[in-house]
Amino acid sequence: MGRAFEYRKATKMKRWGNMARVFTKLGKQITIAAREGGPDADTNPRLRVLIQQAKKENMPKDNVERAIKKATDKDHSDYKEVVYEGYGPYGIAIVVETATDNPTRTVANVRSYFNKHGGSLGTSGSLEFLFDHKCVFKIAPKDGISLEDLELELIDYGVDEVEVEEDDILLYGDFKSYSDIQSYLEENGFEIHSAEFERIPRDTKDLNEEQRAQIEKLLEKFEEDEDVQNVFHNMAEGE
């Protein structure tokens, strides 16, 4: 217990610090969810939780409605979710999740970032064995329910780790358990602040300060790209 939480707490999702970046990312996720499950949040669980997350992030309602409309508007390009995997310098494994309307452009950009910073783009699926694919729910605490009781209850729904982060509770579960966990939380009146998918490294590699700085430059290039949704790696966090 605690490995996933410690990794997440250390990384703190720097790319989410920029408000415009948050809205762009959420907007694409909303469009994809609406396209795959329909534009009605009442019948689309994934869309429902993304709209709740957008409210929590103070994303304007117009932005949300525009993102949903894109899913059914034939004049708009279609987003595709594409995952790229490769190695940075010093054997650091990097997984780049994208949402793009032009995969040719995106793969060219991703490859160039790897090449210019001493890394190389690999084949799809080549790094899966290095990461655990998890769903992560951030929820508000509920009166009368202890962390221990919640953890015991949710084990049957696929949750394998429960942690406290500031005023919220983080639930980690298997990637495939997403819908079961969401159903339980909604049926039992829990307030869901966000629900995401993360790739937690099974082992991490230690680097010195100079090496870390080189990897950080590569990660920043990925995170600056508008097509990139998430970047995961197995570099150990610094002190």
Side-chain angles (χ1 to χ4, degrees), residues 148-161:
E148 292 78 12
D149 290 342
L150 181 62
E151 186 169 10
L152 284 172
E153 185 71 25
L154 283 168
I155 284 174
D156 292 337
Y157 294 86
V159 169
D160 52 32
E161 194 165 334

Side-chain angles (χ1 to χ4, degrees), residues 31-101:
T31 299
I32 291 168
R35 187 191 70 218
E36 293 179 350
D40 185 354
D42 291 336
T43 58
N44 185 337
R46 177 67 180 147
L47 179 60
R48 191 160 61 242
V49 77
L50 283 169
I51 290 173
Q52 179 64 30
Q53 186 172 342
K55 288 179 183 176
K56 189 73 179 172
E57 296 288 350
N58 296 314
M59 185 173 174
K61 189 177 179 182
D62 287 350
N63 292 35
V64 175
E65 291 175 350
R66 193 158 54 244
I68 293 173
K69 187 180 179 185
K70 279 185 182 179
T72 55
D73 191 340
K74 293 178 181 178
D75 292 335
H76 278 99
S77 299
D78 207 7
Y79 289 128
K80 292 180 175 63
E81 293 181 290
V82 187
V83 178
Y84 301 101
E85 302 166 49
Y87 283 98
Y90 317 110
I92 296 300
I94 300 173
V95 179
V96 183
E97 296 179 343
T98 69
T100 177
D101 57 2

Side-chain angles (χ1 to χ4, degrees), residues 156-169:
D156 292 337
Y157 294 86
V159 169
D160 52 32
E161 194 165 334
V162 178
E163 298 285 354
V164 175
E165 184 188 68
E166 298 175 347
D167 297 329
D168 295 313
I169 296 173

Side-chain angles (χ1 to χ4, degrees), residues 3 21 84 100 130 136 178 196 208 213:
R3 178 174 58 86
R21 186 80 177 85
Y84 301 101
T100 177
L130 294 174
V136 186
Y178 178 94
E196 298 188 90
N208 63 38

